[in-house]
Each structure stands twice: as structure tokens, then as C-alpha cells.
Amino acid sequence: MLVVSDIHGFPETFVELLDAGGIRHRGLQLASLSGRPDLSGDNLHDHLFNKGGLQQALRGLLELDGRMRVGIGFSAGGTALWNAVKEGLELKALICVSSTRLRLETSPLNIPTMVLWGEADPYRPTESWNNTLPSYWKAYAGKQHDFYRIDAVTANSPLRTDIAAFIESLFP
């Protein structure tokens, strides 16, 4: 798996999302991919989306061998992975958690995609978008944008269960 962090550096280290051993993974910090490992939070967001940092991150992602790997991106990390796939990064599948800027995308990817949202996130895409672009989507009732910071590290959370089921469906 390729795991790409959000603008706050979550996860700092790989989160064992599947509760299973033997899964090869590579954790990538979005700040480092963007060429500015010294930035985080709003400063990194500004760098990514207003100062060309996303393009730098895409160049770094496109250098990776993602074949037969699943990409998991948290918030802006998912946006970076989605765009890298559009530009040629080969992945087996993509999971984007709270990647609200995907609402600006207009075409589905050519791989299985799963997008997960907090239902109370005001920037998540519309139901129409969700029914058109990703292969699978789910909104978690009452959850805000950053719900994944707790749910991704909580054993047996619905988020972890849904991600595990999606990945297991890819490798029968």
C-alpha cells in the first residue's frame, strides 16, 4: 500500500488499517512530497493549492511503482493520489478519506476507487458526484472532516472495517 498523509502529517507512521500482518506499505508525508517538509496545516494547504506544491507532490508520486498496490490518501493526500493516477501513476485501487477537493473532479478514474466522508463535512461532494465518479462511497453519520484521525486508529471502527472489506475485495 501507498499511504499519503494529510496536511497535518496524519498518519505520521503507517496506520495498520487492516489489522493483518504481511501487508507491504510505504508511508509518504505530503509536506515532503510537495518539497516543503517544513510546512504543515494551513501553510501547507496554501503551498499545495496556491503555490504549485501539488504539482511537485505529483512529480514525486509519479516516480513510484504503484503497480499492484492500493493507494490510501487522507484529505489532501487523497487528492494528490487521485491526480497522480490521472497523470499515469499505476495503482491497483485508490481509497480517499475526506479528500473534499475531489468535488472539483469531473471524470472517474480507470481503477476501483473508494471515497469516504464525514457526513457533517460541508465541503464533501454532492450525492450526485458520489454516485457518478467513485466505484464506492460512504458518508459516516454525524462525522466531521477530520473524523479519520480517531477512526483510522480505533480498532473495529466502521472506517477501518469498510477499508479492509474494500481491499479484501480486490485480492480474492
Side-chain angles (χ1 to χ4, degrees):
M1 280 192 273
L2 294 176
V3 181
V4 180
S5 74
D6 68 6
I7 61 171
H8 301 286
F10 178 89
E12 287 184 37
T13 59
F14 179 71
V15 176
E16 190 63 64
L17 293 170
L18 294 180
D19 298 322
I23 297 171
R24 291 185 36 206
H25 62 274
R26 181 168 183 188
L28 303 166
Q29 288 293 310
L30 189 54
S32 295
L33 284 169
S34 76
R36 292 296 308 268
D38 58 315
L39 297 179
S40 67
D42 290 339
N43 291 327
L44 178 56
H45 187 274
D46 181 56
H47 172 66
L48 288 167
F49 298 108
N50 298 320
K51 298 180 180 167
L54 183 62
Q55 287 68 33
Q56 176 71 27
L58 294 180
R59 285 191 291 276
L61 288 168
L62 288 168
E63 293 176 4
L64 302 173
D65 179 5
R67 290 173 294 171
M68 297 308 295
R69 288 191 182 202
V70 175
I72 302 177
F74 293 92
S75 195
T79 301
L81 279 168
W82 183 288
N83 282 282
V85 169
K86 280 181 20 182
E87 293 193 20
L89 175 63
E90 292 183 49
L91 290 175
K92 171 96 174 155
L94 176 61
I95 301 166
C96 298
V97 183
S98 289
S99 301
T100 55
R101 283 196 172 253
L102 294 181
R103 70 186 182 279
L104 305 175
E105 296 296 327
T106 58
S107 299
L109 298 177
N110 62 354
I111 60 172
T113 52
M114 173 188 227
V115 295
L116 304 163
W117 319 104
E119 184 183 61
D121 187 337
Y123 298 107
R124 70 181 173 93
T126 64
E127 191 168 317
S128 173
W129 185 96
N130 284 310
N131 289 329
T132 304
L133 271 70
S135 307
Y136 175 84
W137 72 277
K138 184 172 183 179
Y140 297 91
K143 300 287 185 171
Q144 298 293 325
H145 175 78
D146 60 354
F147 79 98
Y148 59 86
R149 292 189 199 169
I150 293 172
D151 290 24
V153 297
T154 301
N156 301 315
S157 73
L159 175 67
R160 287 171 64 133
T161 300
D162 291 337
I163 289 172
F166 181 72
I167 292 172
E168 288 169 6
S169 76
L170 300 169
F171 301 97

